[in-house]
Amino acid sequence: MSIEARIAELGHTLPQPAAPVAAYVPAVEANGLLHVSGQLPFTADGTLITGRLGENVDAEGGRAAAERCGLMLIAQIKAALGGDLDRVERIVKLGAFISSTADFTDQPKVANGASELMAAVFGDAGRHARSAVGVPVLPLGACVEVDAIIAVRPA
């Protein structure tokens, strides 16, 4: 089964890759690794999910936002690889940044939204190293941001 078919089977649709909001590119491929810039959580209708965990977003809402970041990561991967998601060899690492209050400590549970999506879509190749870090604020007021490093097969 292709990666695209697996995404559809899971009930997801890839969004249009988001344009950068500052002076950077969405992804850079170098030496067999694709480095994908941090992606924000946009709903299916394009609305940015904002707020802070522990203040006005609960852990489940944060987890769902991280999953939306994961879908945007996959959309960026697809765009960077010329539409060929089957070039993905392995999701190497995710970095999850969670806008949260000082007393919120469930960052790993929030980051699972993106991690579990990668495993569901890519199987064993979707299992990865990860960091999940609480931060006071993220760009545009987003509640979660996730970046990635992906091992890719040559074109």
Side-chain angles (χ1 to χ4, degrees), residues 93-144:
K93 183 167 192 240
L94 295 184
F97 304 90
I98 294 96
S99 178
S100 53
T101 60
D103 61 342
F104 183 83
T105 59
D106 280 338
Q107 287 85 0
K109 290 179 184 175
V110 170
N112 280 348
S115 292
E116 291 168 358
L117 176 69
M118 294 304 165
V121 169
F122 295 102
D124 283 343
R127 296 179 48 127
H128 52 272
R130 184 185 81 190
S131 56
V133 180
V135 298
V137 67
L138 286 168
L140 307 177
C143 61
V144 180

Side-chain angles (χ1 to χ4, degrees), residues 7-142:
I7 292 167
E9 180 182 273
L10 292 167
H12 296 296
T13 303
L14 290 181
Q16 287 297 315
V21 298
Y24 62 90
V25 295
V28 172
E29 185 177 349
N31 299 318
L33 293 175
L34 183 66
H35 299 262
V36 184
S37 297
Q39 300 299 307
L40 302 179
F42 290 94
T43 62
D45 71 2
T47 303
L48 179 64
I49 303 170
T50 60
R52 282 177 25 121
L53 280 288
E55 184 176 285
N56 55 6
V57 179
D58 65 15
E60 183 51 36
R63 190 203 144 298
E67 182 178 75
R68 294 302 305 179
C69 291
L71 287 168
M72 187 61 76
L73 282 168
I74 296 170
Q76 294 290 5
I77 294 165
K78 181 179 176 181
L81 299 180
D84 188 3
L85 285 172
D86 293 319
R87 284 187 58 205
V88 172
E89 188 173 337
R90 176 92 194 230
I91 306 300
V92 176
K93 183 167 192 240
L94 295 184
F97 304 90
I98 294 96
S99 178
S100 53
T101 60
D103 61 342
F104 183 83
T105 59
D106 280 338
Q107 287 85 0
K109 290 179 184 175
V110 170
N112 280 348
S115 292
E116 291 168 358
L117 176 69
M118 294 304 165
V121 169
F122 295 102
D124 283 343
R127 296 179 48 127
H128 52 272
R130 184 185 81 190
S131 56
V133 180
V135 298
V137 67
L138 286 168
L140 307 177

